[in-house]
Amino acid sequence: MATSAPSRDIGASDAPHLTLQDSPELRRALAAVDLPVLLMTYVHLSHDEAMLDKFAPHIPPLSTGQQPTAPDDLVAELREKMRHVLTTPGAGEEAELPPALYAKIMSVGMGEPIEAEFVPLLLEQSGLGPQPDYSAKPARNKIPADFRMLIIGAGLSGMAAAIKLREAGYDYVVVDKNPEVGGTWYLARYPGAGVDTPSYFYSYSFELNREWTTYSPLGHEMQDYLVGVSHKYGIRDKIRFETKVTTLRWDDAAKLWHVTLIGKDGVEQTESFNAILTAHGPLHRWEWPKIPGLHDFKGKLMHSAAWDVDFDVTGKKVAMIGTGASGAQIGPSIAPQVDELTVYMRSRHWVLPAPLAGAVKVPEDVRWAVRHIPRFTEYMRFYVYWTASDGLWPGLVMDPEWEGNPTAISFANDMARQWAQGHLEAKLAGRPDLIEKLTPDSPVFSKRPIMDAGWFDMFMRDNVKLEDRQIERITPRGIRTADGEEQEYDVIITATGYTLKKLAGDLEIIGLNGRNLGEEWGDEDPVGYFGTMAPGFPNYFQIHGPNSGPNHGAGINLLAEAQIHYIIECLDEMVERGASAMEPLQEATDQFNEVVQAQAQRMVWAHPKAKNNFKNSKGRIVISWPFRLLDFWTRSRKPEFDHFRFTGSKDG
């Protein structure tokens, strides 16, 4: 999967030119692309607001499930005007627009009001607006020459941190246990591996990818993109591959972290850093399910996170344990090849219709538009982001007055449940046994839903069986259920996910006065400040820390970029003060968590029937951010520095 050189040109810096040649390719592209995206792009280039007014009555909100119904002559007028703008020098202009015009373009394009407070976030994340500029800040001239930061992990988040820290003038070293960048997408090699976030949003906002071949990124394309970014931004010489971190120990007298590393030669060494940024993420800490006898099995045993790419399942009798996101990608991918597939379901998931999920190809005419029409990619990115972001948030908030279906929490949530239930019943028509087995008894969104990329269709195959009996144990020949029946298999696949709640991972992290972060957080009870820091651990930053998960939509890339911005703001403040260390105050951390947990208990994840990886055994939500993504992004713009203790300066 990994490559050692970029496979193609990528990125926003390779943006199309405004003036194009009139050609059959252009005309086909204008006829093929989504009408709202074409409209928004045209008005951006032409400033022709009158076209917004003409189309506004014909573009319904996406939540209605209805398609635009503009008259043919109006659509033809739009396409012709866009062709003229693109082929006539001086007819269009690539310029920043007034915020009010951006809001109007986006509101009409989505068929619903987009409030002004969203516009700065949308401009940054779509690639339409400016990225944060660190070059002019006073801190640039004050960073100590020997200040050095350690970034742990060279996946999506760690690479973004490296790129942005370099822009901000900070020296760093990146270490990664793998021989290539990519993190999750280097490791995810199982059949059907991919992302359930739409392709055109799942990339860096500062480095848009114009080369997706499918509407949902396939794992190998995501990996190729990240490898390409690492070359383009020149960060590879700062990465030490096949290197593991075992211990981080804070030296308060020296105001340094002493770090124990083991290189690929197996030699252990200790180095010192002024600050630590962990970006290893939770999606690499997999473990075998705790099923008695698992390793007694004499056939082929594979975990989805450690797939043997050289093993061929063709013609085999296969059991798959797990019906989450990985299982829902693996199952439909291997079902046509195997002799038999039995899916052992431990818990039921809501499955949402997703006609563009999986390996659905982006038509070549649309890909031409993405490559060649200025600002088209940015508005497509905005379009797919808005369909799966804060618009979903109200449906996750419990309505205390709700007296309807007990497997819903509000009117909006019940509408989503009916939508998902209707999809299930339509796909499994004629199979009441499957409908009964696969209908969850918990509210939709109480755990991450599955995007249907052939999951329900798979169960209608003659060679696929759904088994909901409890597994008693794994035997040398197969699986025995609680009623004593044993089934023999050639292959057992465990698609049982990751250990999400152990956010310190396997690192030994020793802070002030010998405090051990791994022991304090344990396997399931992490408590931090803004998902980024923890009191007692100066200059220790974490991306995707406690309560920073985007569990109502969008992509983890948005929150990672927000946290990186926040971390750079913190470093700059420390430099400006002439301080050597900073940490959040315990009182501020307690207050932050009191507010977060109060809101979290109002969310669908806290529902009594909710079984998910977002909450611990005590019912405390430890993974999810319970407010809007906009609220997280806005808070990340400027830290509240009175919530911190600075030391090593007059402020200490």
Side-chain angles (χ1 to χ4, degrees), residues 263-277:
K264 61 182 177 181
D265 57 3
V267 175
E268 181 178 288
Q269 61 179 340
T270 299
E271 293 187 44
S272 298
F273 298 88
N274 301 85
I276 305 293
L277 193 161

Side-chain angles (χ1 to χ4, degrees), residues 32-178:
V33 298
D34 286 335
L35 185 61
V37 181
L38 180 62
L39 173 66
M40 291 187 288
T41 307
Y42 165 73
V43 177
H44 180 103
L45 297 176
S46 68
H47 304 182
D48 182 3
E49 291 187 58
M51 288 298 280
L52 294 176
D53 298 327
K54 290 181 180 180
F55 273 92
H58 306 293
I59 301 179
L62 279 178
S63 59
T64 66
Q66 301 174 11
Q67 297 298 314
T69 56
D72 291 345
D73 59 342
L74 182 57
V75 174
E77 180 186 355
L78 172 62
R79 289 172 177 157
E80 177 57 27
K81 285 190 171 185
M82 183 60 146
R83 187 195 64 80
H84 174 76
V85 164
L86 293 173
T87 60
T88 305
E93 180 182 2
E94 284 196 77
E96 289 190 30
L97 308 180
L101 181 53
Y102 275 122
K104 183 176 181 180
I105 290 173
M106 293 173 175
S107 296
V108 172
M110 300 309 302
E112 61 187 41
I114 292 179
E115 304 300 332
E117 63 174 332
F118 283 95
V119 171
L121 162 65
L122 296 173
L123 293 181
E124 180 196 91
Q125 284 298 309
S126 66
L128 288 164
Q131 288 286 317
D133 180 9
Y134 303 109
S135 61
K137 297 187 71 171
R140 296 294 76 78
N141 300 318
K142 298 181 180 180
I143 300 173
D146 59 351
F147 189 96
R148 198 167 65 136
M149 193 163 192
L150 175 67
I151 301 172
I152 304 173
L156 183 146
S157 299
M159 285 176 52
I163 291 166
K164 291 302 176 181
L165 282 166
R166 187 182 68 172
E167 288 180 7
Y170 291 94
D171 190 21
Y172 61 84
V173 171
V174 184
V175 297
D176 196 283
K177 65 180 182 180
N178 297 320

Side-chain angles (χ1 to χ4, degrees), residues 258-311:
H258 302 308
V259 181
T260 304
L261 306 105
I262 301 177
K264 61 182 177 181
D265 57 3
V267 175
E268 181 178 288
Q269 61 179 340
T270 299
E271 293 187 44
S272 298
F273 298 88
N274 301 85
I276 305 293
L277 193 161
T278 61
H280 49 58
L283 297 184
H284 73 101
R285 295 190 296 272
W286 65 272
E287 61 182 26
W288 295 107
K290 295 177 174 60
I291 302 175
L294 181 66
H295 295 285
D296 296 336
F297 181 59
K298 301 303 182 183
K300 180 68 173 180
L301 176 66
M302 289 191 289
H303 193 288
S304 57
W307 194 267
D308 184 350
V309 295
D310 296 322
F311 184 80

Side-chain angles (χ1 to χ4, degrees), residues 167-456:
E167 288 180 7
Y170 291 94
D171 190 21
Y172 61 84
V173 171
V174 184
V175 297
D176 196 283
K177 65 180 182 180
N178 297 320
E180 182 54 277
V181 303
T184 297
W185 302 113
Y186 172 80
L187 295 170
R189 303 175 184 225
Y190 59 80
V195 188
D196 57 9
T197 300
S199 298
Y200 288 100
F201 184 71
Y202 200 76
S203 59
Y204 299 129
S205 65
F206 56 86
E207 186 62 51
L208 304 192
N209 186 2
R210 304 180 193 277
E211 295 296 333
W212 297 119
T213 64
T214 56
Y215 282 107
S216 295
L218 301 176
H220 69 86
E221 286 201 354
M222 192 64 214
Q223 174 66 7
D224 285 348
Y225 165 75
L226 292 171
V227 171
V229 169
S230 73
H231 283 278
K232 180 172 182 175
Y233 282 85
I235 62 172
R236 296 183 69 86
D237 62 346
K238 304 291 286 185
I239 304 174
R240 300 181 193 173
F241 292 111
E242 298 180 84
T243 300
K244 294 182 179 180
V245 178
T246 60
T247 303
L248 310 170
R249 190 176 298 274
W250 176 250
D251 181 340
D252 198 45
K255 297 293 188 286
L256 291 171
W257 283 97
H258 302 308
V259 181
T260 304
L261 306 105
I262 301 177
K264 61 182 177 181
D265 57 3
V267 175
E268 181 178 288
Q269 61 179 340
T270 299
E271 293 187 44
S272 298
F273 298 88
N274 301 85
I276 305 293
L277 193 161
T278 61
H280 49 58
L283 297 184
H284 73 101
R285 295 190 296 272
W286 65 272
E287 61 182 26
W288 295 107
K290 295 177 174 60
I291 302 175
L294 181 66
H295 295 285
D296 296 336
F297 181 59
K298 301 303 182 183
K300 180 68 173 180
L301 176 66
M302 289 191 289
H303 193 288
S304 57
W307 194 267
D308 184 350
V309 295
D310 296 322
F311 184 80
D312 186 1
V313 298
T314 301
K316 301 294 195 295
K317 189 175 181 180
V318 179
M320 184 173 72
I321 303 169
T323 53
S326 299
Q329 292 176 343
I330 294 171
S333 298
I334 67 172
Q337 286 91 47
V338 303
D339 179 43
E340 294 180 22
L341 173 62
T342 302
V343 178
Y344 284 82
M345 181 173 64
R346 303 190 302 171
S347 61
R348 292 171 284 182
H349 294 252
W350 283 108
V351 178
L352 303 183
L356 298 182
V360 176
K361 296 287 187 180
V362 180
E364 188 54 44
D365 291 335
V366 176
R367 295 187 68 195
W368 192 96
V370 167
R371 293 191 192 103
H372 297 287
I373 297 179
R375 295 302 186 181
F376 184 86
T377 308
E378 288 82 347
Y379 277 104
M380 180 178 279
R381 181 178 170 96
F382 154 71
Y383 188 74
V384 298
Y385 168 73
W386 191 257
T387 63
S389 59
D390 282 336
L392 300 175
W393 184 79
L396 278 68
V397 181
M398 294 185 189
D399 178 0
E401 305 299 324
W402 175 248
E403 296 180 351
N405 191 306
T407 57
I409 59 167
S410 66
F411 176 80
N413 187 257
D414 193 42
M415 291 298 99
R417 184 196 62 79
Q418 292 183 38
W419 178 53
Q421 184 71 36
H423 175 67
L424 181 151
E425 293 177 359
K427 282 287 187 179
L428 303 177
R431 290 293 305 273
D433 57 323
L434 288 175
I435 292 173
E436 181 180 1
K437 284 183 178 182
L438 289 167
T439 298
D441 63 352
S442 58
V444 67
F445 301 123
S446 60
K447 66 171 67 174
R448 192 173 181 89
I450 301 299
M451 299 294 109
D452 190 0
W455 182 239
F456 285 151

Side-chain angles (χ1 to χ4, degrees), residues 365-648:
D365 291 335
V366 176
R367 295 187 68 195
W368 192 96
V370 167
R371 293 191 192 103
H372 297 287
I373 297 179
R375 295 302 186 181
F376 184 86
T377 308
E378 288 82 347
Y379 277 104
M380 180 178 279
R381 181 178 170 96
F382 154 71
Y383 188 74
V384 298
Y385 168 73
W386 191 257
T387 63
S389 59
D390 282 336
L392 300 175
W393 184 79
L396 278 68
V397 181
M398 294 185 189
D399 178 0
E401 305 299 324
W402 175 248
E403 296 180 351
N405 191 306
T407 57
I409 59 167
S410 66
F411 176 80
N413 187 257
D414 193 42
M415 291 298 99
R417 184 196 62 79
Q418 292 183 38
W419 178 53
Q421 184 71 36
H423 175 67
L424 181 151
E425 293 177 359
K427 282 287 187 179
L428 303 177
R431 290 293 305 273
D433 57 323
L434 288 175
I435 292 173
E436 181 180 1
K437 284 183 178 182
L438 289 167
T439 298
D441 63 352
S442 58
V444 67
F445 301 123
S446 60
K447 66 171 67 174
R448 192 173 181 89
I450 301 299
M451 299 294 109
D452 190 0
W455 182 239
F456 285 151
D457 291 338
M458 178 194 73
F459 286 113
M460 299 295 278
R461 296 178 58 91
D462 291 338
N463 68 331
V464 176
K465 176 185 176 183
L466 176 63
E467 181 60 78
D468 63 352
R469 289 179 293 178
Q470 183 178 352
I471 296 174
E472 180 185 88
R473 68 177 297 109
I474 307 297
T475 70
R477 296 182 300 179
I479 296 176
R480 186 165 70 229
T481 49
D483 58 6
E485 183 178 335
E486 182 177 349
Q487 295 291 327
E488 297 183 7
Y489 298 102
D490 303 312
V491 182
I492 295 178
I493 298 166
T494 62
T496 48
Y498 302 86
T499 305
L500 295 185
K501 296 183 282 289
K502 190 178 180 181
L503 290 183
D506 297 322
L507 296 175
E508 183 181 42
I509 306 168
I510 309 300
L512 288 170
N513 303 315
R515 293 177 62 174
N516 186 312
L517 190 62
E519 291 181 357
E520 292 185 13
W521 284 4
D523 290 341
E524 62 161 16
D525 203 26
V527 179
Y529 178 83
F530 195 51
T532 308
M533 300 185 74
F537 297 86
N539 294 7
Y540 177 82
F541 303 93
Q542 181 165 5
I543 301 177
H544 312 313
N547 292 112
S548 65
N551 293 125
H552 71 265
I556 205 163
N557 50 309
L558 183 156
L559 294 190
E561 289 186 20
Q563 285 184 285
I564 292 164
H565 177 85
Y566 184 89
I567 290 166
I568 292 174
E569 291 290 318
C570 287
L571 293 174
D572 285 350
E573 182 70 13
M574 188 166 63
V575 168
E576 283 295 309
R577 293 180 182 228
S580 302
M582 65 180 295
E583 60 170 309
L585 299 169
Q586 185 65 54
E587 180 183 4
T589 303
D590 293 343
Q591 291 173 350
F592 172 82
N593 281 281
E594 183 178 345
V595 172
V596 166
Q597 290 304 319
Q599 180 63 30
Q601 292 303 312
R602 301 185 186 106
M603 304 301 289
V604 66
W605 318 306
H607 190 275
K609 288 185 174 291
K611 298 179 179 67
N612 55 52
N613 284 324
F614 310 149
K615 63 181 178 181
N616 65 15
S617 59
K618 301 173 185 176
R620 192 172 74 84
I621 306 298
V622 298
I623 298 296
S624 310
W625 173 250
F627 300 100
R628 300 176 303 173
L629 299 170
L630 173 65
D631 299 321
F632 192 97
W633 183 88
T634 301
R635 182 165 185 151
S636 74
R637 298 303 89 185
K638 188 168 181 58
E640 298 173 86
F641 291 119
D642 57 341
H643 289 186
F644 291 85
R645 182 170 74 100
F646 292 85
T647 55

